[in-house]
Amino acid sequence: MLPKYKRILLKLSGESLMGEGNYGIDHRVITQYAYDIKAVTDLGVQVAVVIGGGNIYRGMNEAETGIERAQGDYMGMLATVINGMAMQSGLEKVGLYTRLQSAIKMEQIAEPYIRRRAIRHLEKGRVVIFGAGTGNPYFTTDTAASLRAIEIQADVILKGTRVDGIYTADPEKDPTATRYESITFTEVYQKSLNVMDMTAFTLCQENKLPIIVFDMNKGGNLMQVIMGKNVGTLVKG
């Protein structure tokens, strides 16, 4: 079977990199992600990655931290670059060629983000990791993922989380919650379901970019999604 998607943007949460820990990066999670990504690139799928920074630093309430929102957001952007470097190392250990591009200039460790260069890297089979969000405070890494996916003309955003899709209610709190196989953007709005922040979600809707929410922590799930299997929840239309 041929993969259903040719070019994807994989959005990973920073928290997922913690594994069973409460902080930092679990190398076992990085290794599992790296092998899963390699499996799909071996089929010719072009992969770009955006990772959050919540395992290291999350922009917090200014009143609690004494750090103003913009400053805190920049700190969070730097955390995403650290995660990007860890992911880059993991991918290269399994034999993949990678490029880390940063929305904030730091030439010693990452290329500056240049759209055409990113696309060319993907065409050459390299995994491109986008760090530092959009480079602007007040925007989340979900928004960065939506923006980059649209810019590189990705076929889909794959949002890897700790749950296996979108549910009618929080499955950790409500045992009767059921998973949607497919749902429209309008239904997500109407039901007030938490998929992405509103800016990111609206960007996807306006540009007709589908989103698949799935459990990335289960090995092999990424391949299942790429092959069009019923894994996770598809948001479209």
Side-chain angles (χ1 to χ4, degrees):
M1 291 178 63
L2 293 174
K4 183 175 181 179
Y5 305 105
K6 178 67 176 173
R7 180 180 294 167
I8 66 167
L9 189 137
L10 178 62
K11 168 61 171 65
L12 302 171
S13 71
E15 288 89 343
S16 67
L17 299 187
M18 295 188 299
E20 299 300 319
N22 296 316
Y23 180 82
I25 299 167
D26 185 334
H27 72 91
R28 291 169 296 184
V29 176
I30 291 282
T31 301
Q32 182 229 306
Y33 287 1
Y35 277 111
D36 282 349
I37 292 169
K38 185 178 189 303
V40 301
T41 59
D42 286 347
L43 295 177
V45 178
Q46 298 173 13
V47 181
V49 183
V50 170
I51 311 176
N55 57 318
I56 298 172
Y57 184 86
R58 176 180 291 281
M60 300 176 187
N61 189 316
E62 182 178 335
E64 294 177 2
T65 64
I67 299 171
E68 64 173 313
R69 169 68 188 273
Q71 186 81 334
D73 283 356
Y74 280 120
M75 292 167 69
M77 290 178 218
L78 297 180
T80 71
V81 176
I82 292 172
N83 284 339
M85 293 173 71
M87 192 74 246
Q88 182 178 38
S89 178
L91 291 167
E92 290 179 344
K93 281 183 179 176
V94 299
L96 290 172
Y97 293 99
T98 68
R99 290 294 185 274
L100 174 61
Q101 291 197 344
S102 171
I104 298 173
K105 286 187 178 180
M106 44 186 81
E107 288 89 343
Q108 286 85 349
I109 58 174
E111 293 181 356
Y113 170 68
I114 299 172
R115 174 182 167 271
R116 288 179 181 271
R117 183 180 289 178
I119 292 171
R120 188 68 181 128
H121 288 322
L122 292 168
E123 291 171 345
K124 288 185 175 182
R126 298 164 183 157
V127 177
V128 181
I129 304 165
F130 298 119
T134 65
N136 303 289
Y138 303 100
F139 291 95
T140 66
T141 49
D142 276 350
T143 300
S146 300
L147 179 61
R148 296 291 182 249
I150 294 161
E151 288 181 304
I152 65 171
Q153 299 175 320
D155 300 321
V156 65
I157 290 184
L158 304 183
K159 185 173 169 66
T161 66
R162 293 179 293 180
V163 293
D164 60 347
I166 302 169
Y167 281 76
T168 53
D170 186 340
E172 295 178 355
K173 298 177 181 177
D174 185 350
T176 64
T178 56
R179 179 175 65 87
Y180 294 101
E181 289 185 13
S182 178
I183 192 170
T184 67
F185 286 98
T186 302
E187 287 174 320
V188 171
Y189 283 123
Q190 291 173 343
K191 299 175 187 294
S192 300
L193 299 173
N194 184 24
V195 179
M196 285 179 159
D197 74 80
M198 198 57 68
T199 305
F201 195 73
T202 303
L203 265 176
C204 292
Q205 182 182 27
E206 289 180 347
N207 290 276
K208 298 180 173 57
L209 180 66
I211 306 165
I212 298 177
V213 179
F214 73 107
D215 181 3
M216 182 67 185
N217 288 355
K218 183 178 179 182
N221 264 3
L222 179 61
M223 176 66 77
Q224 297 287 311
V225 172
I226 291 294
M227 300 307 291
K229 300 291 179 63
N230 180 24
V231 175
T233 301
L234 170 65
V235 186
K236 62 179 181 177

